[in-house]
Amino acid sequence: MNQDAILKSLIADNLVSDPSGARGRLLREAAGLFRDKGYERTTVRDLAAAVGIQSGSLFHHFRTKEEILKAVMVETIRLNTALMQAAVEAADNNRDKLRALVRAELESINGQTGEAMAVLVFEWRSLSEAARVEVLELRDIYEAIWLDVLDGLREEKVLVADPFVVRRMLTGALSWTVTWYRPDGGLSLDDLTVQVLAMMGLTREG
């Protein structure tokens, strides 16, 4: 299933918003504002202006500004989890599954969901405790995909280090690419994926 088909399926199941709809456009603009200005400094007026509506109209879709923040996080996790799961299912072995996961996460960080992914990392503390619990439950599902593959590589003795530690290190390294990676810099995301695996000693031929 390709990315468009996965997105359509999630929209049909009311798990993510249609990017072309009013709610989807609001979440996209909110992600950009929260990333650039910060959640606390972004006002309801800022959000309304970004999508060209009156401030009061925002509350047709969300009761509070925090609900908008939570929706940005929840929907990006749901989408990227589905994309990663599909990538893993299309791979034949754990080595190729890891390659697929690295490539998918690099795309999520540096591609269309990059702003929302940054919000997920940097605005985590802005959520209420109840909202954090909901987001964490989804995040655990996302992380379980990674740990299943890394555990498999450890069992095959392809991976020496502890899978949990490896995942934490990869999370930091891949997330940080948003600060330096440039798609027009001569290094594609496929090339970058190869470099990440090479650093782990997991080349295609290895």
Side-chain angles (χ1 to χ4, degrees):
M1 186 181 294
N2 62 32
Q3 183 167 340
D4 288 341
I6 291 170
L7 177 59
K8 288 179 181 178
S9 176
L10 292 173
I11 293 171
D13 291 337
N14 292 317
L15 293 174
V16 304
S17 302
D18 185 342
S20 63
R23 179 185 167 100
R25 286 186 283 110
L26 171 58
L27 292 180
R28 183 174 65 250
E29 295 296 339
L33 285 168
F34 293 157
R35 185 199 64 177
D36 295 340
K37 296 184 65 173
Y39 171 74
E40 293 296 338
R41 292 187 299 276
T42 299
T43 66
V44 169
R45 182 174 296 179
D46 292 333
L47 293 166
V51 291
I53 61 176
Q54 296 295 318
S55 296
S57 299
L58 284 180
F59 301 109
H60 173 72
H61 302 286
F62 300 96
R63 290 177 298 177
T64 65
K65 189 175 77 164
E66 190 200 2
E67 281 196 359
I68 298 174
L69 176 64
K70 186 180 78 169
V72 167
M73 295 183 178
V74 164
E75 293 200 10
T76 195
I77 295 174
R78 285 175 176 167
L79 174 59
N80 287 318
T81 297
L83 293 172
M84 287 189 170
Q85 188 63 57
V88 165
E89 290 173 357
D92 294 328
N93 54 64
N94 283 321
R95 194 186 298 266
D96 287 342
K97 287 177 182 179
L98 179 60
R99 179 178 294 104
L101 287 175
V102 171
R103 178 62 174 78
E105 187 153 286
L106 285 171
E107 176 66 34
S108 73
I109 292 166
N110 296 283
Q112 293 184 354
T113 62
E115 291 177 333
M117 289 289 282
V119 171
L120 183 61
V121 172
F122 295 111
E123 294 295 344
W124 174 252
R125 295 182 183 276
S126 297
L127 289 175
S128 66
E129 184 175 349
R132 289 184 193 180
V133 169
E134 183 176 343
V135 174
L136 272 177
E137 288 176 353
L138 294 173
R139 185 71 180 183
D140 286 346
I141 296 170
Y142 178 96
E143 290 299 320
I145 300 172
W146 279 91
L147 291 174
D148 284 347
V149 172
L150 292 170
D151 284 339
L153 288 167
R154 178 71 178 269
E155 290 174 4
E156 295 168 6
K157 302 189 184 305
V158 174
L159 184 68
V160 176
D162 180 273
F164 178 83
V165 174
V166 172
R167 175 54 187 152
R168 296 282 75 75
M169 297 290 284
L170 281 173
T171 298
L174 299 182
S175 297
W176 196 248
T177 59
V178 72
T179 68
W180 61 266
Y181 175 74
R182 296 293 177 270
D184 57 355
L187 187 71
S188 70
L189 289 182
D190 288 333
D191 295 332
L192 188 53
T193 298
V194 170
Q195 293 298 313
V196 172
L197 294 172
M199 286 192 300
M200 299 174 67
L202 299 176
T203 60
R204 183 177 295 275
E205 296 79 12

